[in-house]
């Protein structure tokens, strides 16, 4: 579903760039709008908006105007309204009387509480993964770890964050605890927008890769205690990184200077 949503959004960008250059392009754009309006359902609209929030495309405080989102996604306003209601329930979106919805600013104190919860839950999940993982799951974890190393060496922060998300999902999946996995994923979503900023702190990229190596080694060795300890150590360091972020980084107003990512090596 994600690929379909992204294809429609990317087509939208192209149409907006070309529409109006000549009458034929304009007519083409108008026809595309009519077709697109029935191409996205509520679940796809929800995934697209959620993904944009988690990736930081729509940062904390960003206004979420139903009409604009419906037009951009090619969805009905009722679908967008339902999607925003789901995201409000998850804590990613907030609504105030008489105003449009907006991406919720999660305060630092709440972020740190979430990390505490993840420490307890993901530590337990890592312990379970060490004894329950299958060979294919172990192989996938190793491949994802290799991606982390490669992307870290390239200072590809966006790719690194995606690989980290896949890594943690792999650990949760290997634990064989789907109910707890859903809880952890919802908690992790609330901290997603701070990840890129915390990874830009000096030395955080190589430290994070080292932490993931330790988790991988423990799970491959079927050492539940070591896997739990390694995951807890990693998440505690994530909490420390969040504590070091300037206030602007939590509000969405903070932007690193161009090239800052290279300084994390």
């Amino acid at each position: 579903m994600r690929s379909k949503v992204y294809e429609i959004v990317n087509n939208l960008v192209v149409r907006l760039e070309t529409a109006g250059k000549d009458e034929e392009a304009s007519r083409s754009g108008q026809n595309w709008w009519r077709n697109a309006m029935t191409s996205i359902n509520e679940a796809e609209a929800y995934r697209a908006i959620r993904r944009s929030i988690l990736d930081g495309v729509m940062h904390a405080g960003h206004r979420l105007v139903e009409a604009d989102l419906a037009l951009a996604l090619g969805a009905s306003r009722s679908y967008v309204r339902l999607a925003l209601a789901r995201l409000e329930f998850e804590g990613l979106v907030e609504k105030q009387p008489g105003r449009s919805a907006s991406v919720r600013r999660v305060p630092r104190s709440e972020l740190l509480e979430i990390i505490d919860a993840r420490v307890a839950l993901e530590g337990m999940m890592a312990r379970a993964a060490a004894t329950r993982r299958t060979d294919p799951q172990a192989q996938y974890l190793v491949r994802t770890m290799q991606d982390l190393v490669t992307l870290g060496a390239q200072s590809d922060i966006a790719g690194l964050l995606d690989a980290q998300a896949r890594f943690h999902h792999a650990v949760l999946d290997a634990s064989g605890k789907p109910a707890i996995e859903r809880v952890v994923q919802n908690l992790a979503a609330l901290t997603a927008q701070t990840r890129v900023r915390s990874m830009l702190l000096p030395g955080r990229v190589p430290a994070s890769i080292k932490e993931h190596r330790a988790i991988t080694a423990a799970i491959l060795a079927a050492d539940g205690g070591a896997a739990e300890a390694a995951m807890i150590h990693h998440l505690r360091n994530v909490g420390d990184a969040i504590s070091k972020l300037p206030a602007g980084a939590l509000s969405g107003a903070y932007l690193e200077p161009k090239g800052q990512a290279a300084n994390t090596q």
Side-chain angles (χ1 to χ4, degrees), residues 94-167:
E94 61 184 355
K95 292 182 180 180
Q96 296 180 0
R99 301 176 118 185
S100 299
S102 62
V103 179
R104 180 169 171 257
R105 292 183 172 90
V106 184
R108 193 191 309 270
S109 58
E110 184 173 332
L111 290 170
L112 295 177
E113 287 180 15
I114 291 169
I115 294 298
D116 285 341
R118 288 184 61 189
V119 163
L121 294 174
E122 290 193 62
M124 175 180 63
M125 301 285 270
R127 173 184 283 273
T131 56
R132 295 186 178 186
R133 53 87 175 164
T134 64
D135 288 342
Q137 287 171 331
Q139 292 164 5
Y140 179 77
L141 192 66
V142 169
R143 291 196 301 272
T144 306
M145 186 65 242
Q146 292 169 342
D147 289 342
L148 284 172
V149 173
T150 299
L151 294 164
Q154 296 171 349
S155 297
D156 183 347
I157 299 300
L160 185 66
L161 292 174
D162 178 70
Q164 283 185 350
R166 288 188 282 115
F167 180 96

Side-chain angles (χ1 to χ4, degrees), residues 39-49 73 75-76 78-87:
S39 62
I40 288 287
N41 59 34
E42 183 271 330
E44 291 165 341
Y46 160 79
R47 292 190 186 100
I49 298 169
L73 291 172
S76 70
S78 62
Y79 285 161
V80 170
R81 190 175 303 117
L82 288 170
L84 293 177
R86 288 180 65 182
L87 293 167

